[in-house]
Amino acid sequence: MNDCERVVAYCKEHGSITQMEATNAFGCTRLGARIWDLKDRGYFVCSVWEDGIDRFGEKTRYKRYYVREA
């Protein structure tokens, strides 16, 4: 199973994925590139920005991706 397949499987099970979830779940440190690959393969991908707090207690933003088969 490659990283693209893992991203799709993760989204099927959990509904969405973030960079941190991809890194923790299966060591994918280039989620944006895998999302681009999935779009190129015909998958429907949408994303939303979310606000959070980083490990230093400072505000941060990150994307949450939703992947569906076309």
Side-chain angles (χ1 to χ4, degrees):
M1 183 179 279
N2 63 34
D3 280 348
C4 286
E5 293 166 342
R6 288 182 182 100
V7 169
V8 172
Y10 189 94
C11 286
K12 282 183 180 179
E13 183 177 343
H14 300 280
S16 63
I17 192 166
T18 65
Q19 177 62 64
M20 186 62 72
E21 292 168 347
T23 301
N24 291 338
F26 46 89
C28 177
T29 57
R30 298 193 62 219
L31 180 61
R34 301 299 67 85
I35 294 298
W36 187 89
D37 291 342
L38 289 170
K39 287 180 181 180
D40 194 46
R41 294 178 187 179
Y43 282 84
F44 175 74
V45 180
C46 65
S47 62
V48 295
W49 283 101
E50 293 189 354
D51 296 320
I53 303 294
D54 68 11
R55 62 184 168 189
F56 303 108
E58 298 175 4
K59 292 180 182 179
T60 189
R61 294 182 74 203
Y62 56 91
K63 276 194 174 181
R64 178 169 299 280
Y65 295 95
Y66 298 87
V67 179
R68 293 180 187 81
E69 294 184 48

